[in-house]
Amino acid sequence: MAVKRDTKNQILDIAEALLQERGFHAFSYQHIASKLGVKNAAIHYHYPSKNDLAVALVARYRRRFSRWSENLAKENAAPWPCFESYIETCRYLIESNKICVLGMMAAEFNTMAEEVQREIQLLQDEVVSYFSDLLKRGQEQGEFSFLGDAAHKALVLTCQLQGAMQFAQVKGSGVYNVVVDQLRAELKPQA
Amino acid sequence: MAVKRDTKNQILDIAEALLQERGFHAFSYQHIASKLGVKNAAIHYHYPSKNDLAVALVARYRRRFSRWSENLAKENAAPWPCFESYIETCRYLIESNKICVLGMMAAEFNTMAEEVQREIQLLQDEVVSYFSDLLKRGQEQGEFSFLGDAAHKALVLTCQLQGAMQFAQVKGSGVYNVVVDQLRAELKPQA
DNA sequence: GTGACTTTACTTACTAAATGGTAAGTCGTC
DNA sequence: GACGACTTACCATTTAGTAAGTAAAGTCAC
């Protein structure tokens, strides 16, 4: 029974990995099909056009991020562990030669259909507002210290991490460690 | 006489614009050819393979950045104007629906040939070390204030700006203004 | 300077492979 | 026997890339 609906998700798994490693225009239905051990047309059966694939991919990524951040909220996790949790998730991506879906889609934004663009915008909003909430909470609890508005700082933070993941592809994961160390130092109170 | 050697450069101009707007795998020789009003094979005459094009493109971009930063150094420009000059250059890119060559190539890094990857690495080194020098100089003159090593802060700054350009594509140039304002505030002494 | 050549900057006319996509058929399960 | 999940067998288009030809400009012996 798990085998049935799974193909549709497995396609997204493979497509997501390919997107994060290579970018949307650098993989094809053939790549997915051969990795899944299935024929080209099977992919089209589940996602008629590559556009449909893109929409589903970003939408699922967005839902996953939603659930992830909601779980952290329910656990009432402290600000620093929340921060470190995100950092670790990104580190895992880097070590698999991947970057964030958001970062890749932002770079390729102009080439995506409107429907996909809207999904990307929603994803960006969610990631930034996750950090916005986290920063606000951390500031109130005296755990974080930063200049200006939490929403603005959240945007900067998101840009920074996206950039760090991309630069880590270019020069290795050491880049990521440097950036994250600097981030931590700057967020710590009494600096 | 300017017409002669110019085609080779015009190809790079068009390819660079397409790269910055769409990414390396989302434009073809046909796109360049039709924009230049020339046939497909003419592009192959100057750049036999797309790989050659990529190498030449990044190398030229790198040379241009070198000259740009050397000129600023010769003028002995003050730290803040140097900083603002870079900010303005990026703003111009955003307004033409483009992102930095470095940011795009970083996102697509895994799909590029080794030769191109080396050029991208060199470009990244140059950009980061430009900021590293600038930050150091600014700090010594009491114009900038930041935590930790200038080289580390430079890396962070570069990530931030690359990310900001990409996010500006997604949600408009307002994003860029917010990020840049925050960056300015954080760099100002006596915060 | 003229004729003979080479070189440069292309065009025309291809090719093989890959791309996204479709229509019709198969096959096991409810 | 209807439906879901495919496969087989296509298709038009686009892709990077090549080979051969051409027109104009440059080079150079004489």
Side-chain angles (χ1 to χ4, degrees):
Chain A
M1 45 184 136
V3 184
K4 274 289 158 65
R5 177 118 193 130
D6 238 42
T7 302
K8 202 163 182 173
N9 262 312
Q10 279 176 14
I11 291 169
L12 282 192
D13 289 340
I14 294 166
E16 189 180 291
L18 285 167
L19 173 75
Q20 294 184 285
E21 275 177 52
R22 306 177 47 83
F24 192 70
H25 301 288
F27 76 86
S28 70
Y29 272 37
Q30 247 100 14
H31 288 115
I32 303 171
S34 68
K35 280 213 180 194
L36 230 179
V38 97
K39 295 297 152 153
N40 209 323
I43 318 293
H44 281 284
Y45 171 73
H46 291 288
Y47 304 99
S49 78
K50 210 182 173 187
N51 194 34
D52 298 324
L53 216 198
V55 173
L57 200 161
V58 182
R60 189 185 72 159
Y61 196 85
R62 201 153 67 76
R63 280 198 307 275
R64 264 203 323 238
F65 181 77
S66 263
R67 278 203 301 271
W68 179 82
S69 68
E70 276 165 22
N71 278 347
L72 274 182
K74 271 177 200 152
E75 290 170 17
N76 228 347
W80 276 107
C82 282
F83 182 75
E84 292 297 335
S85 178
Y86 192 94
I87 298 294
E88 275 314 301
T89 307
C90 292
R91 191 190 305 281
Y92 179 74
L93 284 182
I94 290 166
E95 268 152 25
S96 346
N97 280 312
K98 288 172 189 156
I99 65 173
C100 182
V101 165
L102 175 55
M104 188 60 90
M105 283 302 202
E108 295 184 304
F109 189 78
N110 290 326
T111 67
M112 309 307 289
E114 270 184 48
E115 221 183 335
V116 187
Q117 291 188 334
R118 253 166 302 180
E119 280 294 329
I120 301 168
Q121 285 166 344
L122 290 172
L123 175 61
Q124 184 176 300
D125 288 342
E126 280 187 43
V127 174
V128 172
S129 82
Y130 164 75
F131 275 118
S132 192
D133 291 348
L134 174 59
L135 286 172
K136 211 177 216 170
R137 202 152 49 84
Q139 192 178 40
E140 282 163 5
Q141 297 176 20
E143 292 283 317
F144 294 156
S145 156
F146 52 87
L147 264 160
D149 192 38
H152 292 178
K153 182 69 179 174
L155 191 59
V156 173
L157 203 65
T158 315
C159 290
Q160 203 168 334
L161 287 170
Q162 294 297 333
M165 276 184 269
Q166 295 178 13
F167 276 24
Q169 296 302 310
V170 177
K171 296 279 291 184
S173 56
V175 166
Y176 185 67
N177 292 329
V178 168
V179 172
V180 167
D181 281 347
Q182 184 80 21
L183 265 182
R184 277 195 275 252
E186 290 183 3
L187 265 184
K188 264 186 197 120
Q190 215 186 27
Chain B
M1 48 185 130
V3 183
K4 272 290 158 65
R5 178 116 194 134
D6 239 41
T7 301
K8 202 163 182 174
N9 263 311
Q10 280 176 13
I11 292 170
L12 282 192
D13 289 341
I14 294 167
E16 189 180 289
L18 285 167
L19 172 76
Q20 294 184 287
E21 275 178 52
R22 307 177 47 85
F24 192 70
H25 302 287
F27 76 87
S28 69
Y29 272 36
Q30 247 101 14
H31 288 115
I32 304 170
S34 68
K35 280 212 179 195
L36 231 180
V38 97
K39 295 297 153 151
N40 210 323
I43 319 293
H44 280 285
Y45 171 74
H46 291 288
Y47 303 99
S49 78
K50 211 183 173 186
N51 193 34
D52 299 323
L53 218 197
V55 173
L57 201 161
V58 182
R60 191 186 70 161
Y61 196 83
R62 201 155 67 76
R63 278 198 307 274
R64 265 206 318 240
F65 181 76
S66 262
R67 276 203 302 271
W68 179 81
S69 69
E70 276 165 23
N71 278 347
L72 274 182
K74 270 175 202 155
E75 289 169 20
N76 228 348
W80 276 106
C82 283
F83 181 74
E84 292 297 337
S85 177
Y86 193 93
I87 299 294
E88 276 312 302
T89 306
C90 292
R91 192 189 306 281
Y92 179 74
L93 284 182
I94 291 166
E95 269 152 24
S96 349
N97 281 312
K98 288 173 189 158
I99 65 173
C100 181
V101 165
L102 174 56
M104 187 60 90
M105 283 303 201
E108 295 183 304
F109 190 78
N110 290 326
T111 66
M112 308 307 290
E114 270 184 49
E115 219 183 336
V116 186
Q117 292 189 333
R118 253 165 303 179
E119 279 294 329
I120 300 167
Q121 286 167 344
L122 291 172
L123 175 59
Q124 184 176 301
D125 288 343
E126 280 187 44
V127 173
V128 172
S129 82
Y130 165 75
F131 275 118
S132 192
D133 292 347
L134 174 58
L135 286 172
K136 210 177 216 169
R137 201 153 49 85
Q139 192 178 40
E140 284 162 5
Q141 296 177 20
E143 293 284 317
F144 295 156
S145 156
F146 52 87
L147 263 159
D149 192 37
H152 293 176
K153 182 69 180 176
L155 191 59
V156 171
L157 203 64
T158 315
C159 291
Q160 278 167 338
L161 287 170
Q162 294 296 332
M165 277 184 268
Q166 295 178 13
F167 276 24
Q169 297 302 310
V170 177
K171 297 279 289 184
S173 56
V175 166
Y176 186 67
N177 293 329
V178 168
V179 172
V180 166
D181 281 347
Q182 183 79 21
L183 286 185
R184 276 195 276 251
E186 290 182 2
L187 266 183
K188 265 188 195 117
Q190 214 185 28

